[in-house]
Amino acid sequence: MKKKIKCFNSIKELIFNYKFFISKEIKIKGWVKHFRYNCFIIINDGSTINNLQIFIDKKFSSLVKKINIGISIEVIGVLVLSQGKEQNIEIYANKIKIIGKFSPEELQKTILQPKTHSFKKLREQAYLRFRTSIFSSILRIRHNISFSIHKFFFKKNFIYINTPIITTYDSEGAGAGEMFRVTNFDLKKIPLNEKGELNNNLDFFGTSTYLTVSGQLQGEAAASGLGKIYTFGPTFRAEKSNTFRHLSEFWMIEPEMSFYKLVHNMNFAEKLLKYVIKFVINNSYEDLFFIEKKNKRKIFKRLNNVLESSFERISYTNAIKILKYSKKGINWGEDLKSEHEKFLAENYFNNPIIIYNYPLKIKPFYMRINNDNKTVAAMDIIFPYIGEIIGGSQREERYNVLLKRILELNLNIKSLWWYLNIRRFGSVPQSGFGLGFERLIQYITNIDNIKDVIPFPRYPNHAYF
Amino acid sequence: MKKKIKCFNSIKELIFNYKFFISKEIKIKGWVKHFRYNCFIIINDGSTINNLQIFIDKKFSSLVKKINIGISIEVIGVLVLSQGKEQNIEIYANKIKIIGKFSPEELQKTILQPKTHSFKKLREQAYLRFRTSIFSSILRIRHNISFSIHKFFFKKNFIYINTPIITTYDSEGAGAGEMFRVTNFDLKKIPLNEKGELNNNLDFFGTSTYLTVSGQLQGEAAASGLGKIYTFGPTFRAEKSNTFRHLSEFWMIEPEMSFYKLVHNMNFAEKLLKYVIKFVINNSYEDLFFIEKKNKRKIFKRLNNVLESSFERISYTNAIKILKYSKKGINWGEDLKSEHEKFLAENYFNNPIIIYNYPLKIKPFYMRINNDNKTVAAMDIIFPYIGEIIGGSQREERYNVLLKRILELNLNIKSLWWYLNIRRFGSVPQSGFGLGFERLIQYITNIDNIKDVIPFPRYPNHAYF
């Protein structure tokens, strides 16, 4: 009878199940990361930050000359408990097969050569950085954050909604200049009418279309039937900002809850953030630990602080009082700058804070007007060291009030009629918020540049790969 | 001491937990669906296909006059076991509050008036159809399918990757005419150079950019570091097809596995589909049951047939032999038409089938050339009654072979250099496939038109809402 060799699909699965295969022959594959002494090859396959050590005896001496860093091998060998301190197990190789070659000369041209490269350097070869320890750690954490979000909403009976990417309306009041145009026109032969105006009705969708900046309005429509929904999809800004906090294409999570008022919205947002952080600490602690050591930045302390805290809730009006008292040069009615938010979260409260009831004039049309007629039921969650992480509100569910506001602000009612109709046909109180996915990853991983927490960042002049 | 009333966030949670609240006072909200006799109001909140019955005694007789279908109410009442056959529980109302109004005259203008509307009619008021039984059922099923996909990959240690939406390359060899252009140009003032050519370097990304048709190439880059990854995001086609099976914007799932060969790819795809179907039967049986009854279409039988079957695997060459023998007018080298696939899956095998090793000439450049030099390691999964549901392949991991193919096909090497480099720098065997999310939902729900399984369908001349 032929002996059956256990083939592992990944080093992660092997490490998780090794107790059942001690002294057994197994098969595993991976890329060669480095060598140790003359008798160990260290491999990794991207499934975990943990490498696997392969012991090679003299019979491989001629093969080993062909093995260099970056190539991939298949190993059949016996799983044994390791004598070394750095790992529990290692493989005593019986057979080694080279699967993919990579010459040392070629290696020198890439970020895969084994030394520490700057994040900027990694970004220049973004299509290769998945094989570096630091970036693969960040992406495994990103994956766990994403899954924890889906899982949380699933448990809470929220329905996942894919809102459209191609839209006719610029929500959030973003100017047309800040939105990307989507068109099927041949740009060299744009059809203009006699007055020199664009013949948008000849375009693919019969009108001018853009990349969405938010799925919120459609989310509200969905929540008006399904009760509680969330979106989790890409959104776009055509701003020419090339900062540590801006991307032209980024992912957003936007829950929307019927029958929720502002206070429920705040409670829920706090629960979501804490659930995600707890899940990630539980499921990504090895990667977080690796980044904390490598980048010499506090991660666990920050995250555990959030878990232990009750988010401080303060009205905009009281926030202004504190800021005036502290001589920060701001008056009621003005929007908080990030330096103000920073002062409140880091210096004054030293805690995540929720600021609510902002002045009507500095917030969008869809937020519910409070009884004072001066403020709206908005809420922003501010984290120390990162600033705003969530922005939300109770929505204006009263048809007449909403219509009046839209007219006052001179918004394009031609593209908002259906949104108004949600409030005309069986409207209910509703609340929701937006959470920038990449900002959340930045906070959790303590990575400075938002471009380093997304697989293929898009920003001005950068859309290759 | 004030008595504490249990507030339920949704009817689904109430139905799930009612055993612990029998004879207790609870609070719940929802939209009025209809009335029964003179003493029951039936409400629903979108969380489940199950309605909740509210018993109202005489003290509400004046209030009841103000309650009509479509409005929303908040009910405080005692949870009691129902005498009726249609439900287990009902609420004996103590207090009823009207939350949102909706006049019967307005109701008449909408698809929310209680009668059966055609899918076409619902689509015309797509922003309201979330509140209809049939569409909310479809979307709850869509939600469960989506979650089951994330859960499956999570369990299998695949890393979720968000590939970019804005790209410079048209993968799959889609012609530029089939891709949407993304631009920040003012379309009335397109910058042309002296030769009358587009000055694309002046556009936002410094080059011409499009909406992605597939995340596969970027997925391969990610898998070349992280081992096993999947994408799940929106993709686009600017084809002017307005059929039951086409959308301009739809969601795709694209896993990519390093170290997998074609056979592993097939095994894995079959496992994924069966896992999803099992999960959905388990978690969405009430909604599936509702659709089966309402649409008079078999759902459970079809799905259970898939679970019980082993997908039949047949090479393209043998498929052609069968088709020739059955006089279907097709020769080796020609692409299978959907009528051929239909014949094989429905008439010949009466089973899901996997056709593999297609002729080189009818498949894209990235598929691995087999030793016969005439076929590539492609595989398509064909389901009875729906046709192709998955298309995949082992990828060409040999740098020289890939380069030769790209040159032969005269593809744009300027935008493929980074993809070629994946195969130059430590290449490994790799396989993957694409699964159209909406097609899968169509199959599972047995809904004819793809526009009825997505919240806001995009197709020629339709991008409003």
Side-chain angles (χ1 to χ4, degrees):
Chain A
M1 210 175 88
K2 208 185 156 191
K3 199 172 53 170
K4 212 183 159 193
I5 296 172
K6 170 70 182 178
C7 300
F8 280 96
N9 258 323
S10 68
I11 293 176
K12 184 173 179 179
E13 284 162 44
L14 172 61
I15 289 174
F16 195 76
N17 291 301
Y18 78 87
K19 300 173 194 75
F20 304 102
F21 295 92
I22 294 167
S23 305
K24 297 243 171 190
E25 199 166 34
I26 65 128
K27 188 154 110 178
I28 191 90
K29 292 160 192 164
W31 286 275
V32 174
K33 295 290 277 190
H34 56 98
F35 297 89
R36 193 175 287 156
Y37 313 117
N38 278 321
C39 52
F40 291 111
I41 302 175
I42 315 295
I43 64 170
N44 187 287
D45 68 355
S47 64
T48 159
I49 188 70
N50 296 304
N51 298 324
L52 185 64
Q53 179 159 293
I54 314 291
F55 176 80
I56 39 167
D57 65 18
K58 281 178 193 162
K59 74 166 178 257
F60 293 110
S61 55
S62 67
L63 182 75
V64 162
K65 285 173 198 149
K66 294 184 204 152
I67 296 180
N68 49 272
I69 289 174
I71 75 158
S72 56
I73 58 173
E74 177 186 285
V75 179
I76 294 176
V78 178
L79 191 159
V80 294
L81 295 177
S82 176
Q83 303 302 316
K85 283 176 190 165
E86 298 193 27
Q87 61 281 317
N88 289 325
I89 55 166
E90 59 196 41
I91 307 298
Y92 190 101
N94 290 333
K95 275 185 202 166
I96 295 179
K97 196 166 96 184
I98 293 175
I99 306 176
K101 293 180 186 170
F102 191 1
S103 78
E105 295 73 40
E106 291 279 68
L107 180 68
Q108 290 309 312
K109 299 173 187 163
T110 73
I111 53 166
L112 299 174
Q113 51 174 312
K115 62 172 198 177
T116 297
H117 304 275
S118 69
F119 278 110
K120 185 169 173 290
K121 179 94 187 163
L122 297 188
R123 224 176 290 137
E124 286 165 9
Q125 294 183 25
Y127 66 101
L128 286 180
R129 63 181 174 162
F130 301 95
R131 229 187 299 164
T132 63
S133 303
I134 187 78
F135 194 65
S136 66
S137 273
I138 293 169
L139 282 199
R140 283 188 299 264
I141 294 166
R142 182 183 167 108
H143 161 72
N144 275 331
I145 297 174
S146 165
F147 187 72
S148 71
I149 290 166
H150 283 298
K151 193 172 175 188
F152 179 76
F153 284 115
F154 186 82
K155 284 166 62 154
K156 298 282 180 192
N157 293 312
F158 279 59
I159 309 296
Y160 180 42
I161 293 290
N162 298 123
T163 45
I165 310 304
I166 300 171
T167 59
T168 51
Y169 181 68
D170 52 321
S171 54
E172 288 273 9
E178 288 170 23
M179 297 185 80
F180 289 105
R181 175 83 190 230
V182 176
T183 180
N184 206 25
F185 283 148
D186 178 345
L187 295 196
K188 282 186 284 187
K189 299 174 197 158
I190 298 286
L192 302 176
N193 67 15
E194 298 127 22
K195 293 178 192 164
E197 293 161 345
L198 266 177
N199 244 337
N200 281 317
N201 56 336
L202 296 178
D203 208 347
F204 191 90
F205 292 107
T207 181
S208 55
T209 46
Y210 307 90
L211 291 180
T212 186
V213 296
S214 162
Q216 181 198 318
L217 301 192
Q218 287 94 352
E220 289 184 41
S224 297
L226 295 160
K228 292 178 292 179
I229 64 96
Y230 72 108
T231 73
F232 190 166
T235 51
F236 306 83
R237 293 284 188 291
E239 269 179 84
K240 292 237 162 145
S241 334
N242 189 354
T243 79
F244 276 40
R245 285 167 60 78
H246 288 88
L247 287 169
S248 308
E249 178 181 317
F250 55 98
W251 287 62
M252 282 248 280
I253 298 107
E254 298 182 283
E256 196 66 39
M257 297 78 83
S258 285
F259 309 118
Y260 272 46
K261 296 188 176 169
L262 189 65
V263 61
H264 308 122
N265 204 18
M266 294 195 242
N267 297 345
F268 184 76
E270 186 171 340
K271 268 187 204 153
L272 168 64
L273 290 172
K274 286 179 173 171
Y275 179 89
V276 169
I277 289 173
K278 204 167 177 179
F279 185 96
V280 174
I281 291 177
N282 255 326
N283 288 272
S284 285
Y285 60 94
E286 290 173 321
D287 285 314
L288 290 170
F289 188 60
F290 174 79
I291 297 174
E292 172 151 331
K293 273 204 301 186
K294 177 104 182 167
N295 279 5
K296 299 188 182 60
R297 294 285 191 89
K298 289 252 183 305
I299 292 180
F300 287 96
K301 189 182 168 192
R302 267 167 38 135
L303 297 181
N304 283 317
N305 278 350
V306 172
L307 290 186
E308 286 161 19
S309 72
S310 272
F311 295 8
E312 202 73 46
R313 299 182 187 191
I314 179 174
S315 70
Y316 166 89
T317 301
N318 283 335
I320 293 293
K321 278 181 194 161
I322 292 169
L323 290 167
K324 287 189 92 145
Y325 182 82
S326 310
K327 304 206 164 57
K328 296 291 169 189
I330 184 170
N331 293 305
W332 199 98
E334 294 166 16
D335 209 355
L336 299 178
K337 291 188 185 137
S338 58
E339 68 202 59
H340 299 128
E341 296 176 342
K342 215 171 152 65
F343 173 78
L344 290 167
E346 286 167 37
N347 303 100
Y348 194 87
F349 289 107
N350 190 23
N351 203 44
I353 57 175
I354 310 181
I355 306 177
Y356 60 91
N357 288 352
Y358 281 79
L360 174 70
K361 290 195 176 155
I362 59 172
K363 289 289 183 183
F365 72 98
Y366 50 73
M367 296 191 175
R368 193 179 200 276
I369 300 178
N370 288 322
N371 289 338
D372 61 14
N373 266 315
K374 289 192 314 189
T375 62
V376 288
M379 65 105 181
D380 286 352
I381 301 188
I382 319 290
F383 269 21
Y385 309 105
I386 187 120
E388 186 191 318
I389 198 152
I390 275 181
S393 71
Q394 185 172 338
R395 315 309 187 188
E396 183 55 79
E397 91 281 15
R398 295 163 298 185
Y399 177 77
N400 290 330
V401 180
L402 183 66
L403 178 61
K404 190 162 163 261
R405 189 103 198 270
I406 288 175
L407 295 174
E408 272 170 11
L409 292 171
N410 208 12
L411 298 176
N412 185 359
I413 207 155
K414 271 189 189 162
S415 58
L416 279 176
W417 63 269
W418 64 270
Y419 179 73
L420 262 163
N421 273 356
I422 303 172
R423 304 308 172 191
R424 188 173 154 204
F425 301 135
S427 179
V428 292
Q430 227 170 46
S431 296
F433 57 84
L435 165 61
F437 185 44
E438 281 78 16
R439 293 250 175 111
L440 179 61
I441 304 170
Q442 264 191 291
Y443 181 77
I444 288 177
T445 54
N446 206 342
I447 296 288
D448 280 334
N449 197 326
I450 198 166
K451 303 179 185 79
D452 299 322
V453 301
I454 188 167
F456 296 92
R458 295 299 186 240
Y459 52 103
N461 292 316
H462 289 78
Y464 33 81
F465 312 134
Chain B
M1 210 177 87
K2 210 185 156 190
K3 199 171 51 170
K4 213 185 157 191
I5 297 170
K6 171 70 183 177
C7 301
F8 280 97
N9 258 326
S10 68
I11 292 175
K12 183 171 178 184
E13 286 163 44
L14 172 62
I15 289 173
F16 195 77
N17 290 301
Y18 77 88
K19 300 174 194 76
F20 304 102
F21 296 92
I22 293 165
S23 304
K24 297 243 173 191
E25 197 164 35
I26 64 125
K27 187 155 110 178
I28 192 94
K29 293 160 192 163
W31 286 274
V32 174
K33 296 289 277 190
H34 57 98
F35 297 88
R36 193 175 287 155
Y37 313 118
N38 278 321
C39 53
F40 291 111
I41 302 175
I42 315 295
I43 64 170
N44 187 286
D45 68 355
S47 63
T48 160
I49 189 71
N50 295 303
N51 298 325
L52 184 65
Q53 179 158 294
I54 314 292
F55 176 79
I56 39 167
D57 66 18
K58 279 176 193 162
K59 74 168 179 252
F60 293 109
S61 54
S62 67
L63 182 74
V64 162
K65 284 172 197 150
K66 294 183 204 155
I67 296 180
N68 50 272
I69 289 172
I71 75 159
S72 56
I73 58 173
E74 176 186 287
V75 180
I76 294 176
V78 177
L79 191 158
V80 294
L81 295 174
S82 178
Q83 304 300 315
K85 282 177 193 166
E86 299 192 29
Q87 61 281 317
N88 288 325
I89 54 166
E90 59 197 40
I91 307 297
Y92 191 100
N94 290 332
K95 275 186 203 165
I96 295 179
K97 196 166 93 185
I98 294 176
I99 305 175
K101 293 179 184 171
F102 191 2
S103 77
E105 297 73 42
E106 292 276 70
L107 181 68
Q108 291 309 312
K109 299 172 188 164
T110 75
I111 54 167
L112 300 174
Q113 52 174 311
K115 63 172 196 178
T116 298
H117 306 275
S118 70
F119 278 109
K120 185 169 173 291
K121 180 95 187 161
L122 296 189
R123 224 176 293 138
E124 287 165 8
Q125 294 182 24
Y127 66 101
L128 287 179
R129 63 182 174 162
F130 302 94
R131 231 188 297 165
T132 64
S133 302
I134 187 78
F135 194 65
S136 66
S137 274
I138 294 169
L139 283 199
R140 282 187 299 265
I141 294 166
R142 181 183 169 106
H143 161 72
N144 274 333
I145 297 173
S146 165
F147 187 72
S148 72
I149 290 166
H150 283 299
K151 194 174 173 184
F152 180 76
F153 283 116
F154 185 83
K155 284 166 59 155
K156 297 283 180 194
N157 294 314
F158 280 59
I159 309 296
Y160 179 42
I161 293 290
N162 298 123
T163 45
I165 309 305
I166 300 171
T167 59
T168 52
Y169 181 67
D170 51 323
S171 54
E172 286 274 10
E178 286 172 25
M179 296 185 82
F180 290 105
R181 176 83 192 231
V182 175
T183 179
N184 206 25
F185 283 148
D186 178 344
L187 296 195
K188 282 185 286 188
K189 298 174 198 157
I190 298 284
L192 301 177
N193 67 15
E194 297 128 24
K195 294 178 192 164
E197 292 162 346
L198 265 178
N199 244 336
N200 281 319
N201 56 336
L202 296 178
D203 209 347
F204 191 91
F205 292 107
T207 182
S208 55
T209 47
Y210 306 90
L211 290 181
T212 186
V213 297
S214 162
Q216 181 199 316
L217 301 193
Q218 287 95 349
E220 289 185 41
S224 297
L226 294 161
K228 293 179 291 181
I229 65 94
Y230 71 108
T231 73
F232 190 166
T235 51
F236 305 83
R237 293 283 187 291
E239 270 178 85
K240 292 239 160 142
S241 336
N242 188 353
T243 79
F244 276 39
R245 284 168 59 79
H246 287 88
L247 287 169
S248 308
E249 177 182 321
F250 55 99
W251 286 62
M252 282 247 280
I253 297 107
E254 296 181 284
E256 197 65 40
M257 296 78 82
S258 285
F259 310 117
Y260 271 45
K261 296 189 175 170
L262 190 66
V263 60
H264 308 124
N265 204 18
M266 294 195 241
N267 297 347
F268 184 77
E270 185 170 343
K271 268 188 202 153
L272 168 65
L273 290 172
K274 286 179 174 172
Y275 179 90
V276 169
I277 289 171
K278 203 165 180 185
F279 185 97
V280 173
I281 292 177
N282 255 327
N283 288 273
S284 285
Y285 61 94
E286 290 174 322
D287 285 313
L288 290 169
F289 188 61
F290 173 80
I291 297 174
E292 171 150 333
K293 274 203 302 186
K294 178 100 183 173
N295 280 7
K296 297 186 182 63
R297 292 286 190 89
K298 291 252 184 300
I299 292 180
F300 288 97
K301 192 183 168 191
R302 267 169 36 134
L303 296 181
N304 284 317
N305 279 350
V306 173
L307 290 186
E308 287 162 17
S309 72
S310 273
F311 295 8
E312 202 74 46
R313 298 180 188 193
I314 179 174
S315 69
Y316 166 88
T317 300
N318 283 335
I320 293 294
K321 279 181 192 159
I322 292 168
L323 290 167
K324 287 190 94 143
Y325 184 82
S326 310
K327 302 205 165 56
K328 295 291 169 189
I330 183 168
N331 293 305
W332 200 98
E334 294 168 14
D335 208 356
L336 299 177
K337 292 188 185 139
S338 59
E339 68 201 63
H340 299 128
E341 297 177 340
K342 217 172 149 65
F343 172 79
L344 291 166
E346 286 167 35
N347 303 99
Y348 193 86
F349 289 107
N350 191 24
N351 203 42
I353 57 175
I354 309 182
I355 306 177
Y356 59 92
N357 288 351
Y358 281 79
L360 176 71
K361 291 197 176 155
I362 59 172
K363 289 288 183 185
F365 73 97
Y366 51 73
M367 295 190 174
R368 193 179 199 277
I369 298 177
N370 288 323
N371 288 339
D372 61 14
N373 267 317
K374 288 193 316 190
T375 61
V376 288
M379 68 107 181
D380 286 352
I381 301 189
I382 319 289
F383 269 21
Y385 309 107
I386 186 120
E388 186 191 319
I389 198 152
I390 274 180
S393 72
Q394 185 172 339
R395 314 310 186 189
E396 183 55 80
E397 91 280 15
R398 296 163 297 186
Y399 177 77
N400 290 330
V401 181
L402 183 67
L403 178 61
K404 188 162 164 259
R405 189 104 200 270
I406 288 175
L407 294 173
E408 271 170 15
L409 292 170
N410 208 11
L411 298 176
N412 185 0
I413 206 157
K414 271 190 191 163
S415 59
L416 279 175
W417 64 269
W418 64 269
Y419 179 73
L420 262 162
N421 273 356
I422 303 173
R423 303 309 172 192
R424 188 173 153 205
F425 301 135
S427 180
V428 292
Q430 225 169 47
S431 295
F433 57 83
L435 166 62
F437 184 44
E438 281 77 17
R439 293 252 173 106
L440 178 62
I441 305 170
Q442 264 191 291
Y443 180 77
I444 288 176
T445 54
N446 207 341
I447 296 289
D448 280 334
N449 197 325
I450 198 166
K451 302 178 186 77
D452 299 322
V453 300
I454 188 167
F456 296 92
R458 295 295 184 247
Y459 50 103
N461 292 316
H462 289 77
Y464 33 80
F465 312 134

